[in-house]
Amino acid sequence: YQDEHPARGGVTTPFPLKLHEMLIATSAEGMEDVVSWQPHGRCFLVHKPKEFVELLPRFFKLSKLASFQRQLNLYGFQRLTRGRDRGGYYHELFLRNRTFLAHSIQRIKVKGTGVRARSNPDQEPDFWAMPWVNNDEAKIREAHYPSLI
């Protein structure tokens, strides 16, 4: 995929892939109390914003939570405003153990209006009612996306 679709704008690793790497690393390092996937694997949550800000420079060229949130918005991530996932972020192509899907997340062109669409809590997905994302990424890629191997 990376050969066919090289990163644009001088970015070697796009933000969504770095975000996946960060969630994998923080989990491996036992830092899931700071930031983690929700158990269903369809969104992630920053549990301790102050400690999270200290982690940002390790994974991104960012040092402020607002800059991180702006990147999420620029890549089309939505913030959940109620329920057990309140405060979490999701994107339909950003799922645990499905890093290969994140390659398809495109940065949204900035239009400069400064006006964001209002959130509609009634239209937010209920990830707890959906099948959980726990399967091995390699097996899924092989079965459904053999051209990406």
Side-chain angles (χ1 to χ4, degrees):
Y1 182 89
Q2 289 175 325
D3 293 339
E4 295 173 23
H5 304 281
R8 299 186 349 224
V11 177
T12 54
T13 306
F15 176 81
L17 297 177
K18 286 183 183 181
L19 183 55
H20 254 287
E21 291 171 6
M22 180 200 67
L23 289 165
I24 291 167
T26 53
S27 175
E29 295 170 19
M31 300 174 75
E32 290 179 312
D33 61 321
V34 177
V35 60
S36 69
W37 287 103
Q38 285 292 75
H40 48 67
R42 295 181 179 276
C43 76
F44 72 94
L45 194 56
V46 175
H47 307 284
K48 296 180 179 176
K50 289 180 183 174
E51 291 179 36
F52 179 71
V53 169
E54 294 173 15
L55 287 175
L56 282 177
R58 271 185 56 197
F59 301 98
F60 307 98
K61 293 179 182 174
L62 304 170
S63 59
K64 296 179 182 175
L65 185 58
S67 300
F68 176 76
Q69 290 169 326
R70 183 169 192 270
Q71 287 299 310
L72 290 170
N73 291 330
L74 287 170
Y75 279 91
F77 282 78
Q78 300 289 316
R79 185 174 178 138
L80 296 158
T81 58
R82 66 185 198 189
R84 289 193 266 183
D85 296 325
R86 185 171 189 241
Y89 288 92
Y90 74 96
H91 188 289
E92 64 181 5
L93 296 173
F94 193 78
L95 304 172
R96 180 177 45 216
N97 299 327
R98 309 288 200 289
T99 308
F100 63 95
L101 292 176
H103 287 280
S104 299
I105 299 175
Q106 297 293 311
R107 189 175 187 273
I108 298 167
K109 302 234 185 313
V110 180
K111 295 180 178 66
T113 61
V115 179
R116 253 190 347 190
R118 294 185 64 175
S119 65
N120 185 349
D122 295 329
Q123 292 183 343
E124 290 180 358
D126 178 8
F127 295 130
W128 295 87
M130 297 178 188
W132 287 21
V133 183
N134 288 322
N135 296 331
D136 179 47
E137 179 178 2
K139 291 178 187 172
I140 294 162
R141 185 185 312 125
E142 236 174 77
H144 299 287
Y145 300 94
S147 63
L148 294 178
I149 297 173

